[in-house]
Amino acid sequence: MGQFRQISTFVDVVAKGSLSAAARAEGIAPAVIGRRLDALEQRLGVKLLQRTTRKLALTNEGAAFLEDCQRILTELEDAEAAVAERSARATGHLLVSAPAGFGRQHVAPLLPSFLSEHRDVRATLNLNDRVVDIIGEGVDVAIRIASLSDSSLVGVKLADNQRVLVATPTYLKRHGTPRSLDDLNKHNCLAISSDGSQRGWTFRHEGKIVTLKVSGNMGCNDGAVLHDWVLAGRGLAWRSMWEVGGDIEAGRLRTVLDEYAAPGNDIYAVFAQRNHLPLRIRAFVDFLRRTYAQPGYWRNGRGLTPGV
């Protein structure tokens, strides 16, 4: 910092023609300016200015040094201006991670619109259902549908995630509509299951949150398969509104036992803690939050076009 101040002072003194003028511009005493020049000349081991009470004159070495200093200061100003310009618009590469099903339906269809608004941004979308190491894998933004527990990360809520119990009208006509949680024992329940272990379905009952193990003749560890099965009228399924909202709106599915619905895990954008978050990340998170907040987005399902 001291070396830079000495160089900038040297350039200012030459430009303004005197130590006094340079000192007035900074609001300091001329003696301070003189000490900076003395320190600069002593550090370089060369005389840069011939100073008298009436005028200043550059030495040959000072003239050559002045040219280099002016170039360096100009390049520094250009660099600062470029950084300020980049911070004013989103630029660079954006790496986004999202759960496979949610990402296919509610991130991938939106990326083209986001990139059309921010033409200096490139994006890569990684879809998988594991919890990625955001810092270790260099992920800019991860979409997570869960309660957040990692204090080293920052989470911004994008939307609520309502879970609903659904079936086709045909299935309900054939097998009846359940009116209580006990009625689930009479129905074919299509549940997430892997290695013979079932996650269970969560409801609010008598003021408490309860998780029920349900029974059915088919289970799968892939939510998209359960979605297909319930659309085919194979039974009841407990799914997220982001997945089945469009089907409900279109009448392909109906919700049941709504009065027992429990709060779901909300949808978050998660990123590493940073003092200066790149604008591309802030812009993308704001874009998703605005889009998901549009009236009817989840009911319409499958990628509502922003601004429509």
Side-chain angles (χ1 to χ4, degrees):
M1 184 64 182
Q3 294 177 0
F4 174 78
R5 178 165 290 177
Q6 291 168 6
I7 290 172
S8 62
T9 296
F10 168 63
V11 173
D12 285 344
V13 166
V14 175
K16 292 179 172 56
S18 71
L19 275 67
S20 298
R24 282 195 300 271
E26 282 196 53
I28 58 177
V32 176
I33 298 294
R35 286 196 294 271
R36 290 180 189 170
L37 292 176
D38 291 340
L40 176 60
E41 291 176 334
Q42 184 176 2
R43 182 164 59 83
L44 297 176
V46 66
K47 194 71 174 174
L48 300 174
L49 288 167
Q50 297 291 351
R51 288 178 270 170
T52 70
T53 56
R54 293 188 177 181
K55 66 176 182 178
L56 296 173
L58 284 165
T59 65
N60 290 334
E61 293 82 3
F65 187 60
L66 176 66
E67 185 177 339
D68 289 337
C69 290
Q70 289 172 328
R71 176 180 50 80
I72 290 169
L73 292 176
T74 298
E75 290 176 353
L76 180 60
E77 289 177 0
D78 291 343
E80 290 180 344
V83 169
E85 183 181 358
R86 284 195 295 271
S87 67
R89 73 179 196 277
T91 62
H93 180 249
L94 181 71
L95 179 56
V96 181
S97 173
F102 183 87
R104 280 192 295 268
Q105 196 164 330
H106 296 289
V107 181
L110 302 179
L111 265 181
S113 295
F114 172 75
L115 295 178
S116 69
E117 290 184 13
H118 302 279
R119 297 185 180 278
D120 293 322
V121 176
R122 298 174 295 108
T124 298
L125 176 60
N126 287 343
L127 300 180
N128 56 71
D129 290 320
R130 65 181 177 84
V131 178
V132 299
D133 179 356
I134 292 176
I135 297 175
E137 298 179 42
V139 173
D140 289 307
V141 183
I143 309 302
R144 290 185 178 171
I145 306 174
S147 57
L148 300 182
S149 58
D150 191 339
S151 61
S152 68
L153 302 175
V154 177
V156 174
K157 183 177 175 179
L158 299 176
D160 295 327
N161 179 40
Q162 183 182 356
R163 300 275 269 180
V164 290
L165 191 59
V166 293
T168 61
T170 301
Y171 174 88
L172 295 174
K173 183 177 181 179
R174 184 182 303 124
H175 299 280
T177 299
R179 304 296 179 186
S180 69
L181 296 183
D182 289 338
D183 288 346
L184 294 178
N185 295 323
K186 307 171 187 175
H187 287 269
N188 195 40
C189 297
L190 310 169
I192 288 285
S193 180
S194 60
D195 300 326
S197 177
Q198 183 194 124
R199 293 182 188 175
W201 294 352
T202 301
F203 300 96
R204 186 189 299 275
H205 181 55
E206 296 180 349
K208 297 180 180 179
I209 303 299
V210 296
T211 299
L212 302 179
K213 298 288 186 175
V214 294
S215 60
N217 64 358
M218 294 190 295
C220 185
N221 65 346
D222 188 314
V225 171
L226 295 182
H227 186 204
D228 290 341
W229 285 346
V230 73
L231 283 174
R234 303 298 183 185
L236 297 171
W238 186 60
R239 309 306 303 149
S240 290
M241 183 61 76
W242 64 257
E243 182 182 13
V244 298
D247 299 313
I248 295 169
E249 186 71 12
R252 291 185 292 270
L253 295 175
R254 282 174 44 196
T255 63
V256 297
L257 299 180
D258 292 341
E259 63 272 27
Y260 294 96
N265 289 326
D266 294 327
I267 303 166
Y268 287 89
V270 181
F271 43 86
Q273 290 185 356
R274 301 179 187 176
N275 292 329
H276 302 287
L277 196 66
L279 183 56
R280 64 181 178 274
I281 298 177
R282 287 186 280 127
F284 183 66
V285 171
D286 289 343
F287 177 86
L288 291 182
R289 187 163 49 180
R290 285 197 319 270
T291 303
Y292 295 160
Q294 292 181 43
Y297 175 87
W298 302 108
R299 281 280 180 177
N300 293 333
R302 298 188 188 276
L304 186 70
T305 301
V308 174

